[in-house]
Structure formats: structure tokens, C-alpha cells
Amino acid sequence: MEETEKLLQFLQKEGFIWGPEPEIYGGKAGFYTYAPMGKLLKNNVENYIRKHFQEENFWEVECPTIMPKIVWKASGHLDSFTDKVVECKNCSSSFKADEFVDEINVKDLKKFFKEKKIKCPNCGSVLSPDLKEHNLMMKTTIGLDEEAYFRPETATTTYLPFKRYYEHFRKKLPFGVFQIGKAYRNEISPRKSLIRLREFIQAEAQMFIFEKQKNSFKKYEKYKNLKIPLLPEEAQGKKEQAKKITLNEALKKKHFKSKAYAYAIALTYELFKGLGIEEKNIRFREHPSAEKIFYAYEAWDLEVKLNTFGWTEMVGVHDRTDYDLKQHQKFSNQPMSVFNIENNEKEIPNIIEIAFGCDRPIYALFDLFYDVKSREKGKTIFKVPVHLSPVKIAVLPLVNKDKIPEMAESIYKELNENTDLTVSYDDTASIGKRYLRQTMKGTALCLTVDYDSLKDKTVTLRERDTGKQIRVKRKDIIEKVNLFLKKGKF
Amino acid sequence: MEETEKLLQFLQKEGFIWGPEPEIYGGKAGFYTYAPMGKLLKNNVENYIRKHFQEENFWEVECPTIMPKIVWKASGHLDSFTDKVVECKNCSSSFKADEFVDEINVKDLKKFFKEKKIKCPNCGSVLSPDLKEHNLMMKTTIGLDEEAYFRPETATTTYLPFKRYYEHFRKKLPFGVFQIGKAYRNEISPRKSLIRLREFIQAEAQMFIFEKQKNSFKKYEKYKNLKIPLLPEEAQGKKEQAKKITLNEALKKKHFKSKAYAYAIALTYELFKGLGIEEKNIRFREHPSAEKIFYAYEAWDLEVKLNTFGWTEMVGVHDRTDYDLKQHQKFSNQPMSVFNIENNEKEIPNIIEIAFGCDRPIYALFDLFYDVKSREKGKTIFKVPVHLSPVKIAVLPLVNKDKIPEMAESIYKELNENTDLTVSYDDTASIGKRYLRQTMKGTALCLTVDYDSLKDKTVTLRERDTGKQIRVKRKDIIEKVNLFLKKGKF
């Protein structure tokens, strides 16, 4: 069985991801359910991202996911957020055209399909070269007849209340906001599990900043000596490894144009390292000029090396200049310029953006921490960093008699009431089976109540990855558990 | 100015709620942004709900918000989740028909509009009696042409993976799941701020239980003596107050049909009391037989008495029997019956459901804890329970010189790094203005660094509601703050 297939089976079986949903009706590609273990993990990842941005003084907002047509006209999504679709006239299947194109820079897709006579993966007939434009936004109606669309990313909805932010943050730029929430894309043929979804969670942070502030940006100083793995445009295609250089050097070499942008790169890197992803599996890849979207003044992606799919885009970090606010000023007739105290002029601020989704980092955690080797020895250990573990501690009575369950239940209750940790209770099957079951779900610690516990009021704490056990006094449990979760070991 | 208007202005100005969105494009009714303070409050409310259900061993899931047409055919939403709409032929305005109907039980709406000649609130012409059926679901397309709808509540999407849950919970019923997530309703004329939205957050918990287990339900015992304010059908319309009786009595008097249902009522009551809502402002109202939906075997609403809108529905608690799973079995051709070890038969389980949204409880917090009296004395205090405060502690340097900011900043950093509390930093305006500003946002505590702080390493902690101040040693800050947040006082 293929590695990817093994991983997906593990995710279904252990209660992480179910789907595609609705399963009982056959399932639609690109829609999944986060099952109980997956949802706990997802909450932990989202809260980790939240905390990361909050500590850097970004403030969270929650904007609507639906906006009327004019918003998407202004943002450019209505006209250009499209995929080219190729159809099979024989069996009516549809596919994303660029899935059939290996070469980069095929400008004339119609010509490509005409010449190559690509066959339909479904029925084998030759695909029609009459390509169609397919807008990826999900269309709907507000009220009886107003055309509206679900957002394909959080970004546009975050820009719109700029003047509200400006008042809220007492007219002082730069300031930062972020949003973690649903976005929707009507992909033609989504695949690769959580990597390409039709419904997903975006996490995007924006700094609103005057152009001149970009290179006198104080928060940058903290990170200037941070080494970052960069793969600039000129190194791409030469099989060259990303090189680690400091942000300071990167600015000198003109890889980045501003300190504020370099700061956004630093935040992104720290965020992914904090997820437990090893530095060797992270790199920043510059958008080649040919790929770069016209409004992106600077654009680098953070990529993670997955076991299943290789280097995969996780984040886009963009300096979008004043493009978006100018567009919305034009379409809404509402002035977006505000007073810049530093040069006594009214200006439209720039937006520097860190844009990613939560589902890909979660997939990366599955991919990187699902321990295949242990699996081959008959064990599966999900070695996700313990601060992200779905369940932090499982309480296990050794047997279901002799007052052992009573003590275990009372410890379970105590942990629930006096901590914010997610705790589970499991009293079925042999203790060995239960240990295995918990390691497969990534549970950080198992707490066992046995006959000695009744005598001397101690319990066993068992660590997931090593199986190492320590004996702990009942009254010290919470302290020991918290210490373990902080340090990652006893 | 009206009380409601005052409240909405406060919410906009203090950064709780902005909208209707997109404001710069004129705004669409029923769409709001949770601004920075509102979003922090919302996260706290959602996490409180999450913790409440988790402690009762309900497990969270996250299902897609979009489902293909057949799902909504099976659930009944496609055919009957509709409003009657009345139109003005003159100015093309549309309204929800029942907004014009005072009397209960008007069966023939067409006749009602024909006879009463109700005038259009917009242009004054007589409204047409030719009513239209308007489905409240937001329609969209999956792929090129598959009809699909956004969920109008989380419920249906939660039922579908029943067989997955069954395996996950090791084939042992009853079990509980819950979902907190987006839902969408295309209301014709939404009003009342957060009370009626087109896009909102539902929080719904479901217990899957065999019918025979409903009256041998162990978890009920913990709550049997809990007193609940009930307004049963026979007491309604007589201006009778809700009467507090124990769950045990309520079962004896046949207000509830099962212990499991009574348990769901208890959980709901405890949840709303835990939000800090006074018992006198909560009641349970039985659905009168005439209102009751055909599949609801038992149905009571929890209502909260708001200052602005009076008694308002917050939660519906329903015993939905095996109706939903039977429907999905029929439409999907997938068997939904599972083995009941207690009677050796295969059965389709029942679903007992606690259904509510997060936006209404949040509105209730604004409505009940925005202190109007203080406002009239020139102060506004938002007295939200401190465990839900958007910001837990604001760090304020008395002045911006003489090493005071340095000490304040280092305390701010320490609090951020060593606690999960939301902390803010404010160094603009006089200290009195800053105290006022924080009380208006509901910040639980202000921490002031002054000249004495430099000498003796102490700071002032100031409590929001009373203005009471205590002097605390720097090294004891975190301990004192946590203690305060737990007890609600020094």
C-alpha cells in the first residue's frame, strides 16, 4: 500500500479525519469532517496560531464570509479568480486544465490540448481543446435576488473595515489584525486530502503600514539575526538547496525590500518552527517574476517538505502595497487615505500579509509525526508535539474492580475541574492495548491507577514516545503533568 | 435615544461589533464583524461552551457547512425550511409575512393580507396578498453544476457520520457529540442586531441514545434535585410566572418524558447560569402543541429576559426521536440501525439535542451587563463576568518617562509569556481616562506602574466594578491575578 494511502487510513481509523463528506451519500471531493481527535488537534493548532499573533500585538477580528458582488469586482476576484477547465464531450467529466500540463509557462493551453490530444482519465476519449473559465468562488443570493459570493480567502473581508481599525487603534499606524475562519473555493477536481479543499479554514494576518514606515520598523530589530532558509528566484530550477542567511543579510542582498516585510517572514518562520516542524523541512521560496501576481510587490512562500507530497506551499507572505485599499476606495467612493503624522500628509497605507490555511499545517503534522517505522513493528505512534496533542492525558484504571475505578474516576474529575487540559478516560481492554491506543492518537501521557495506588496514593505517568514511566504522588499529578507538557519530557 | 440604539452605539464605538457589513459599500442587513473586543469575548464564550460540554464527555466535531441537495431533501429543509414572503408591487420591497401578523394562528395568510390591506412600510402602497414561499437556505453549486446548500444549522451535518461515531465510541451508546460552527440563513428582512443574522455561529450538542436507555440514564442522578424555572404549555397566556421545581418533580408531573431529556435541560440551564446570567432572567418555555414541529417528541426553549427585547429564545432542547436517522437511512440506503446489547436487537437510536447559537448569548451579555446607570453618570461600565472579559488585564504606566514605561513593558511581556491571559498595554491619555476606557471594554483588572513601583517593586491592581485598588508585589502579580479571576474579587 502506498504511503499516502496508509496515512489516510490511519487518519480515518483513529478518528482524525472522516470523508469525503457526506460519506453515507457517496461523498463530495474536497469536503471533510474533523472527527473528535482531529478537531481537538485543530483547536490546538488554531489557538497556537492565535497566541502567536496576539503576542506580537495583532488583534483578531471575525468578518462575514459572504460579500455582495461589488466587493469581489473591486478585489479582482470576480474577473480573475478563475481556473481553466477542460471537458470531455464523451462522458461529461471536467478537469482543471493545468493538471495535464507538465511544462512551466505553457501560454496557449488551447493549442496544447489540440496538439497533445490528452485523453480523458475517466473514459479515454480525447479532451476538448475548448477550455472554459471557471470562477472558483461559491456563488449565492442575499435576500430575494442580490448576487453575492462566499469569500475564497479571509483577506478581502479583513481589508474592508480599515477605517474602523484606524479609529479603534487611535489613529496610530502601523497596526496588525488577523482572522482565522472559513473560506470556500469551488475547485473542479480537489484531491490530496486536506491539501486542497473546497471548504477550509484560512488564517491570515495583515499589517497596515505607511510606505515610509516599512524601513524604520522597530519590531524588526528583535529578529534581524534570525537565520532563514531562502530559495531566491535565481537559485530555482538549479536543484539548489535553500541557504540559511540572516534577515539582515537578506535585506542587504535585496532579497527583501523592507524591514517590515522581513519581520513578516520572521513571524511566519517562528510560527512553523513552533509547530514542531524541523528546520530542515522548512524553506522560503521566492515567487518567480513570471508567477508573481501584478499587485504583489514582494512575494515569498513558506514551503514544508512532506513525506507524502514533497515540498508543499503552506504560506504566502505578500507586500500588497496600497493596491487593495485603493481599489476599495475607487469602488465604494469612501476615502481610504488617513493622516500620516510623520510627513503631515494624507496617505493610503500599504498592507503586508501573511496568508495561510490551518488545514495544510494540520496535514503536515499528520504527515511528519505519524511514525511509519513504529507502524511497521506493529505499533503506530503519532508523535505530534505534546503541546498540540489532542488529548493531553488519558486516565486508565488497571482493572475494573477493587476500588481502582473509583480512584481513577476521582482523578479524572479532578483533572477536568482544575485544569484546562483535555483528559480522557479509558477502561476497556488490556492495559497494553490501551497504551497502544493512546499512542496512536498522540495522547501525551497515560496515567495508570493500580493496586499500589490504593496503598500509597501514587500513580504511574507513562510518556508516549519512549514508554518511560514514573511514579507520582496523587497530590503532585497536576504539577508534574504541566511540567512535562512544558518541557516535553520528565 | 432609545435603549437599544444606545447599546448598539456602545458596541460600535468600543470595538465590539461593526456593521452591518460591508459598511463602506452601504452594508447588508444581517452581516456583522466581530471587532477586536467582540472577537475576544466571542472566543471566551465559545471556549466556555466547549469546556462545558467536554466536561460532560461530549466530543467536538467539525463537519462541512455545505451539503448536496439530497441531504436537505432527506432532512426536510428543502421542502419546509421556508418563510412566507409578501411583496410590494409598487416599490419591489419584500417582507416576511408574519411580521405583519399580530394574532397567533392565522392559518390563511392570503386572506389576512386581502382583508387587512396592509401597507408597505417603505412606500405606503397596499401589499400584494400573493404570498411567495422563500427557502431560507443559501443555495450554491459544487463543481460545475451540482446543486448544494449551506447548512441553516449545524444539526443535520452532525447526524450524518453516526456510524462513524458508533465505531469511534466503541459501539457503546449513549454518546454525545457537539459542533460549534457557521450556519447561514437567507432571512428576508433580518433585524435586531445579533439576534437575527444571515450568517452566524451555531452551537449544538447531540446525544445518540437507544429509546429504552432514556429512562435509565445515570448522568441524570447528579441533577435530579436541581430546581428549574418552567413555564409549561398550560401556564402560558395567563401571564403566569415560570415556577421553579426540581427535575424530579418535573418528571413526576410529566413535564418531561425522560431522564435523558431532563438531563439535557439541566445542562442547558447550568450553561446559561455559568455565563453569569441571573436565575430570575432565565426560564424554560414549553413549545405549545400548535407550534411543535412534527418530529419533536419533546421541545422546550430556554429564554432570557433582555432589557432591549424582553423574553427572547436562546436555546431549543429537543427530543427528535429516531426521525432524522430514519430519514437518512431512507434517502442514503445506508442502514442506521445498530446492535443494542441491552435487548439483543438492532435499533435506530434516538437523538436528544441542545441547539443554540453563540451570537444571541453574546448579545445577552451586552444587554445585561452594559451598566446603563453608570453611563448616565458619565461612565460606562461593561460588567461582563470576569472569566469572560475580552481583556483580562491592562498594563498602564502612570507616565511615559523616568523608567516607568520600561518596568511596565517588562511586566506586560512577562504576563504574555507566562500566562494564557489576554493582556493589553495602554500608555496614552491620563490615568483616569485610561481606567474609564478599560471599564468600558469590560477589562477585568488594570495594573498601574507608578513612582512607588520603582522604589519598592510593587504595582497597583484596580478592580473594574468597584474601583477598589490593592498594592501587590511584582513577584506575586500572576498569582493574585489568577486568584481574582477565579473568585471575581480580591
Side-chain angles (χ1 to χ4, degrees):
Chain A
M1 192 165 45
E2 259 199 61
E3 207 47 52
T4 312
E5 200 48 42
K6 272 187 204 170
L7 180 59
L8 297 181
Q9 279 201 5
F10 160 73
L11 298 180
Q12 300 262 20
K13 185 166 172 297
E14 296 305 324
F16 287 96
I17 304 290
W18 294 329
E21 292 284 11
E23 286 189 289
I24 58 169
Y25 289 98
K28 297 290 157 202
F31 295 101
Y32 286 88
T33 284
Y34 279 90
M37 291 299 121
K39 179 59 177 166
L40 287 169
L41 177 67
K42 181 165 183 279
N43 287 348
N44 292 343
V45 169
E46 288 181 9
N47 284 330
Y48 162 75
I49 294 168
R50 186 165 279 135
K51 181 88 181 155
H52 185 76
F53 285 120
Q54 282 172 345
E55 282 182 7
E56 294 286 331
N57 209 25
F58 284 71
W59 293 81
E60 190 174 5
V61 294
E62 183 175 330
C63 306
T65 60
I66 304 173
M67 290 281 163
K69 183 178 177 181
I70 187 169
V71 170
W72 307 113
K73 187 77 190 162
S75 72
H77 286 90
L78 196 65
D79 295 324
S80 54
F81 198 67
T82 54
D83 269 348
K84 297 231 185 313
V85 172
V86 63
E87 285 177 305
C88 173
K89 301 275 184 202
N90 184 45
C91 74
S92 302
S93 300
S94 302
F95 308 91
K96 210 171 143 177
D98 60 15
E99 283 179 9
F100 298 94
V101 185
D102 277 337
E103 302 103 292
I104 298 167
N105 294 331
V106 171
K107 295 267 168 183
D108 193 340
L109 274 169
K110 190 175 172 145
K111 200 173 148 203
F112 173 86
F113 279 93
K114 216 167 203 166
E115 285 174 3
K116 302 270 176 173
K117 299 199 190 304
I118 308 284
K119 284 181 181 156
C120 171
N122 188 35
C123 76
S125 307
V126 173
L127 290 169
S128 159
D130 297 324
L131 272 61
K132 284 187 182 161
E133 288 284 340
H134 169 72
N135 196 298
L136 291 171
M137 287 194 294
M138 297 258 185
K139 191 176 177 179
T140 195
T141 304
I142 303 176
L144 292 185
D145 53 12
E146 178 156 7
E147 195 174 328
Y149 295 85
F150 283 80
R151 66 187 183 192
E153 56 195 18
T154 56
T156 294
T157 66
T158 316
Y159 309 150
L160 301 183
F162 163 66
K163 294 294 276 287
R164 287 281 193 186
Y165 304 141
Y166 179 69
E167 294 296 325
H168 185 78
F169 296 116
R170 294 188 216 110
K171 308 185 179 185
K172 238 173 105 178
L173 266 68
F175 53 75
V177 293
F178 69 101
Q179 203 174 164
I180 301 174
K182 286 273 179 191
Y184 300 89
R185 291 184 192 176
N186 189 16
E187 303 278 355
I188 284 301
S189 41
R191 270 183 314 213
K192 291 187 176 182
S193 179
L194 301 183
I195 296 295
R196 194 165 295 282
L197 297 171
R198 282 170 163 154
E199 173 175 344
F200 50 100
I201 297 286
Q202 280 294 92
E204 301 183 54
Q206 280 84 15
M207 273 194 293
F208 293 80
I209 187 167
F210 289 122
E211 198 183 341
K212 293 227 173 70
Q213 294 176 323
K214 286 186 197 168
N215 266 311
S216 59
F217 190 76
K218 265 192 201 164
K219 282 168 146 186
Y220 161 77
E221 303 302 326
K222 193 171 129 193
Y223 294 107
K224 66 181 175 189
N225 295 317
L226 182 70
K227 284 196 164 183
I228 308 259
L230 294 187
L231 190 63
E233 179 170 7
E234 62 269 23
Q236 291 171 32
K238 299 176 195 165
K239 289 190 184 174
E240 204 174 308
Q241 289 283 317
K243 261 190 200 156
K244 287 188 88 169
I245 61 172
T246 66
L247 285 183
N248 213 12
E249 287 173 273
L251 273 169
K252 273 190 199 151
K253 289 188 174 173
K254 300 198 190 309
H255 290 316
F256 305 139
K257 291 174 186 156
S258 78
K259 287 181 179 175
Y261 184 82
Y263 164 77
I265 291 282
L267 280 198
T268 307
Y269 190 50
E270 294 288 341
L271 187 106
F272 273 74
K273 283 199 298 179
L275 287 172
I277 298 174
E278 285 182 78
E279 295 185 11
K280 69 175 168 62
N281 291 326
I282 305 178
R283 73 180 184 193
F284 283 93
R285 195 181 68 89
E286 188 175 17
H287 280 207
S289 322
E291 276 179 36
K292 204 144 81 181
I293 304 162
F294 62 96
Y295 52 75
Y297 181 65
E298 302 207 58
W300 289 72
D301 286 344
L302 181 145
E303 299 181 332
V304 168
K305 193 176 184 181
L306 300 177
N307 293 315
T308 44
F309 303 126
W311 286 105
T312 303
E313 180 197 334
M314 291 279 149
V315 190
V317 183
H318 301 127
D319 182 338
R320 301 180 62 101
T321 71
D322 59 2
Y323 175 79
D324 306 283
L325 291 182
K326 261 192 181 153
Q327 283 292 103
H328 290 297
Q329 171 174 285
K330 189 173 144 194
F331 280 80
S332 72
N333 283 319
Q334 300 290 319
M336 287 293 155
S337 59
V338 293
F339 194 72
N340 182 354
I341 202 167
E342 287 161 32
N343 60 7
N344 276 320
E345 276 173 27
K346 282 198 115 181
E347 284 178 38
I348 294 181
N350 285 215
I351 294 173
I352 294 176
E353 178 170 282
I354 301 169
F356 58 112
C358 290
D359 309 275
R360 285 191 186 190
I362 290 168
Y363 183 85
L365 294 175
F366 291 136
D367 176 282
L368 296 169
F369 296 110
Y370 164 63
D371 187 334
V372 185
K373 277 187 195 151
S374 302
R375 167 80 199 173
E376 276 153 14
K377 289 182 217 146
K379 293 178 190 175
T380 315
I381 296 185
F382 180 43
K383 290 184 175 177
V384 67
V386 291
H387 75 279
L388 300 172
S389 279
V391 174
K392 293 291 184 280
I393 183 160
V395 177
L396 318 173
L398 181 70
V399 291
N400 260 327
K401 56 182 182 182
D402 301 334
K403 304 263 175 196
I404 285 177
E406 283 80 354
M407 185 172 171
E409 276 167 29
S410 116
I411 291 171
Y412 170 72
K413 208 178 147 208
E414 199 179 303
L415 287 168
N416 253 328
E417 282 171 9
N418 298 304
T419 71
D420 279 332
L421 306 173
T422 309
V423 192
S424 74
Y425 189 91
D426 186 4
D427 61 0
T428 58
S430 75
I431 194 76
K433 266 197 185 161
R434 279 181 281 162
Y435 284 149
L436 181 60
R437 189 185 279 163
Q438 294 300 331
T439 65
M440 292 202 287
K441 298 191 191 300
T443 303
L445 290 169
C446 285
L447 184 158
T448 311
V449 176
D450 56 22
Y451 285 100
D452 286 343
S453 307
L454 301 177
K455 281 183 238 161
D456 61 5
K457 292 187 175 158
T458 61
V459 300
T460 298
L461 285 182
R462 184 182 190 272
E463 198 260 325
R464 180 192 64 197
D465 299 352
T466 61
K468 191 181 159 187
Q469 304 194 2
I470 59 167
R471 201 79 194 169
V472 174
K473 282 190 187 145
R474 177 167 176 172
K475 68 175 174 53
D476 299 335
I477 293 172
I478 292 178
E479 193 194 323
K480 290 280 178 193
V481 168
N482 281 328
L483 211 68
F484 174 83
L485 292 175
K486 211 166 175 179
K487 296 198 309 178
K489 60 181 181 182
F490 289 126
Chain B
M1 190 164 47
E2 257 199 62
E3 207 47 51
T4 312
E5 200 48 42
K6 274 187 201 169
L7 179 60
L8 297 181
Q9 279 200 6
F10 160 73
L11 298 180
Q12 300 262 19
K13 185 165 171 297
E14 296 305 324
F16 286 96
I17 303 291
W18 294 329
E21 293 284 10
E23 286 190 288
I24 60 169
Y25 289 98
K28 297 290 156 203
F31 295 101
Y32 287 88
T33 283
Y34 279 90
M37 291 300 121
K39 179 59 178 166
L40 286 170
L41 177 67
K42 181 166 183 279
N43 287 347
N44 293 343
V45 169
E46 287 182 8
N47 284 331
Y48 162 76
I49 294 169
R50 187 165 277 135
K51 181 88 180 157
H52 186 76
F53 285 121
Q54 281 173 344
E55 283 182 8
E56 293 287 331
N57 210 25
F58 284 71
W59 293 81
E60 191 175 5
V61 295
E62 182 175 329
C63 305
T65 60
I66 304 173
M67 290 281 161
K69 183 178 177 181
I70 188 169
V71 170
W72 307 112
K73 188 77 191 159
S75 72
H77 287 90
L78 197 65
D79 295 323
S80 53
F81 199 66
T82 54
D83 269 347
K84 297 232 185 309
V85 172
V86 61
E87 285 178 306
C88 172
K89 300 275 182 200
N90 184 44
C91 74
S92 301
S93 300
S94 303
F95 307 92
K96 211 173 142 177
D98 60 15
E99 283 180 8
F100 299 94
V101 185
D102 276 337
E103 301 103 293
I104 298 165
N105 294 329
V106 171
K107 295 268 163 170
D108 193 340
L109 274 168
K110 189 170 175 152
K111 199 175 147 204
F112 173 85
F113 279 93
K114 218 168 203 165
E115 285 172 4
K116 302 267 176 175
K117 298 202 190 303
I118 308 282
K119 283 179 180 157
C120 171
N122 189 33
C123 75
S125 308
V126 172
L127 291 169
S128 159
D130 297 326
L131 273 62
K132 285 187 182 160
E133 288 284 339
H134 169 73
N135 195 299
L136 291 171
M137 288 194 296
M138 298 256 185
K139 191 176 175 178
T140 195
T141 304
I142 303 176
L144 292 185
D145 52 12
E146 178 158 6
E147 195 174 329
Y149 295 85
F150 283 80
R151 65 186 183 193
E153 57 194 20
T154 56
T156 294
T157 66
T158 317
Y159 308 150
L160 300 184
F162 162 67
K163 294 294 278 284
R164 286 282 193 187
Y165 304 142
Y166 179 70
E167 294 296 325
H168 185 77
F169 296 116
R170 291 185 221 115
K171 309 186 180 183
K172 237 172 106 178
L173 266 67
F175 54 75
V177 294
F178 70 101
Q179 203 174 163
I180 301 175
K182 287 272 182 195
Y184 300 90
R185 291 183 192 178
N186 188 16
E187 302 278 353
I188 284 303
S189 41
R191 273 183 314 213
K192 292 188 177 182
S193 179
L194 302 182
I195 296 294
R196 194 165 295 282
L197 297 169
R198 280 170 163 153
E199 174 176 344
F200 50 99
I201 298 284
Q202 280 296 90
E204 302 183 53
Q206 280 84 15
M207 272 193 293
F208 293 79
I209 187 167
F210 290 121
E211 200 184 340
K212 293 227 174 70
Q213 294 176 322
K214 285 187 199 169
N215 266 311
S216 59
F217 191 75
K218 266 192 202 165
K219 282 167 146 190
Y220 161 78
E221 302 302 325
K222 194 171 132 193
Y223 294 106
K224 66 181 174 190
N225 295 316
L226 183 70
K227 283 195 164 187
I228 309 258
L230 295 188
L231 189 64
E233 177 169 10
E234 61 270 21
Q236 293 171 31
K238 300 177 197 166
K239 288 189 183 171
E240 206 174 308
Q241 290 283 318
K243 262 192 201 153
K244 288 189 88 170
I245 61 171
T246 65
L247 285 183
N248 214 12
E249 288 172 272
L251 273 169
K252 271 188 200 152
K253 289 188 175 173
K254 302 201 188 307
H255 291 316
F256 305 140
K257 293 177 187 154
S258 77
K259 288 181 178 176
Y261 184 81
Y263 165 77
I265 291 281
L267 280 197
T268 307
Y269 189 51
E270 294 287 340
L271 186 105
F272 273 72
K273 283 199 297 178
L275 287 172
I277 299 174
E278 285 182 78
E279 295 185 11
K280 69 176 166 65
N281 291 326
I282 305 177
R283 73 179 185 195
F284 284 92
R285 195 179 70 87
E286 187 175 16
H287 280 207
S289 322
E291 276 180 35
K292 204 143 84 181
I293 305 164
F294 61 96
Y295 51 74
Y297 180 64
E298 302 207 59
W300 290 71
D301 287 343
L302 180 143
E303 299 182 330
V304 168
K305 192 178 183 179
L306 301 176
N307 293 313
T308 45
F309 302 126
W311 285 106
T312 303
E313 180 196 332
M314 292 279 149
V315 190
V317 184
H318 301 127
D319 180 338
R320 302 179 60 102
T321 71
D322 58 2
Y323 176 80
D324 306 283
L325 291 181
K326 263 191 180 155
Q327 283 292 104
H328 291 296
Q329 170 174 286
K330 190 175 144 193
F331 279 80
S332 72
N333 283 320
Q334 299 290 319
M336 288 293 157
S337 59
V338 293
F339 193 70
N340 182 354
I341 203 167
E342 287 161 34
N343 60 7
N344 278 318
E345 276 173 28
K346 283 196 116 183
E347 284 177 39
I348 295 182
N350 285 215
I351 295 174
I352 294 176
E353 178 171 280
I354 301 170
F356 58 112
C358 291
D359 309 275
R360 286 191 185 190
I362 290 169
Y363 183 86
L365 294 175
F366 292 137
D367 177 283
L368 296 169
F369 294 110
Y370 163 63
D371 187 335
V372 184
K373 277 188 194 151
S374 303
R375 168 77 199 177
E376 278 153 13
K377 290 181 219 147
K379 293 178 187 173
T380 312
I381 296 185
F382 180 42
K383 290 184 173 176
V384 66
V386 293
H387 76 277
L388 300 172
S389 279
V391 174
K392 293 290 183 281
I393 183 160
V395 177
L396 317 174
L398 181 70
V399 291
N400 259 327
K401 57 182 181 181
D402 302 332
K403 304 264 176 197
I404 284 178
E406 284 80 353
M407 185 171 170
E409 275 168 29
S410 113
I411 290 170
Y412 170 72
K413 206 177 148 207
E414 200 179 305
L415 286 169
N416 251 329
E417 282 173 7
N418 297 304
T419 71
D420 280 331
L421 306 173
T422 310
V423 193
S424 73
Y425 189 90
D426 186 4
D427 61 1
T428 59
S430 76
I431 193 76
K433 266 198 186 160
R434 280 181 280 163
Y435 283 149
L436 181 60
R437 189 184 279 161
Q438 293 301 331
T439 65
M440 292 201 288
K441 297 190 192 300
T443 304
L445 289 168
C446 285
L447 183 157
T448 311
V449 176
D450 55 22
Y451 285 100
D452 285 344
S453 307
L454 301 176
K455 280 183 238 160
D456 62 4
K457 294 191 173 153
T458 62
V459 298
T460 297
L461 285 183
R462 184 182 190 273
E463 197 260 324
R464 180 192 64 197
D465 299 351
T466 61
K468 190 181 159 188
Q469 305 194 2
I470 60 166
R471 203 78 196 169
V472 175
K473 282 189 186 146
R474 176 167 177 172
K475 68 177 175 52
D476 299 334
I477 293 172
I478 292 178
E479 193 193 325
K480 289 280 177 193
V481 168
N482 280 328
L483 212 64
F484 174 82
L485 292 174
K486 212 166 175 178
K487 295 200 308 178
K489 59 182 182 179
F490 289 126

